[in-house]
Amino acid sequence: MPEKTIFKKIIDKEIPAEIVYEDDHCLAFKDSNAQAPVHLLLIPKKEIRSLAEIEQEDQQLLGHLLLIINKLAREFGLSDGFRTVANTGKDGGQTVDHLHFHLLGQRPLDWPPG
Ligand code: AMP
C-alpha cells in the first residue's frame, strides 16, 4: 500500500485540521500556511491525485466541489471576489498529491502568479 498523503490522513481524522465543512464527498479546512485572511483547501474524499487524473466518472463530484466553493465563499464573506487555484503537478507547484482547490480571499490578489 502506498503511504497515505497528509490530506488522506486528515480525511481519516488521523491528524487534526481546522475543518470548516464536511459532507459525504468532500472536506474543507483552513490552510496551515495561509496566504490570505481566508485560505481554505477543499478536497474530495475520493483519492484523486490531481486534476491531471480526473475521469469521466468524476464529473458529478467535480461539479459538487465547485458548488461547495461557491457556498464557502459566501459563508466566509468573500463578496468582493476570491481566487480558486488547483496547482497541478511539478510545474504547477503541487506539493500534496491529493486533488485540492485553494480558496483565497479577503485581500486583493496579484496576477499573474510567479
Ligand atoms: P499545493 O502546494 O497546491 O499542493 O498546496 C498544498 C497546501 O497544503 C499548502 O498551501 C500547504 O500550506 C497546505 N498544507 C499542508 N499540510 C497541511 C495541513 N496538515 N493542514 C492544512 N494545510 C496543509
Side-chain angles (χ1 to χ4, degrees):
M1 281 283 278
E3 208 195 316
K4 286 184 183 182
T5 65
I6 293 170
F7 292 172
K8 177 61 175 159
K9 288 178 184 170
I10 289 174
I11 292 167
D12 291 342
K13 308 285 164 48
E14 291 173 7
I15 61 171
E18 279 193 72
I19 294 172
V20 298
Y21 177 83
E22 180 167 14
D23 64 26
D24 288 346
H25 306 289
C26 65
L27 188 65
F29 50 94
K30 294 187 180 177
D31 195 298
S32 57
N33 183 24
Q35 301 300 313
V38 173
H39 187 172
L40 306 178
L41 297 169
L42 176 64
I43 64 176
K45 290 187 173 175
K46 180 179 175 185
E47 288 184 271
I48 302 172
R49 286 173 66 87
S50 79
L51 270 188
E53 301 202 8
I54 58 172
E55 296 173 347
Q56 194 63 39
E57 67 177 31
D58 300 319
Q59 185 169 357
Q60 196 170 352
L61 172 63
L62 292 162
H64 179 67
L65 294 174
L66 292 178
L67 288 167
I68 298 302
I69 287 169
N70 172 291
K71 170 184 160 65
L72 290 168
R74 280 186 282 109
E75 285 180 3
F76 279 80
L78 306 183
S79 53
D80 286 339
F82 55 89
R83 184 165 298 163
T84 307
V85 176
N87 295 324
T88 302
K90 185 165 68 71
D91 281 359
Q94 183 175 4
T95 59
V96 180
D97 287 334
H98 184 115
L99 175 62
H100 51 282
F101 291 98
H102 296 255
L103 173 59
L104 299 125
Q106 249 162 40
R107 73 167 173 86
L109 296 158
D110 291 337
W111 191 264

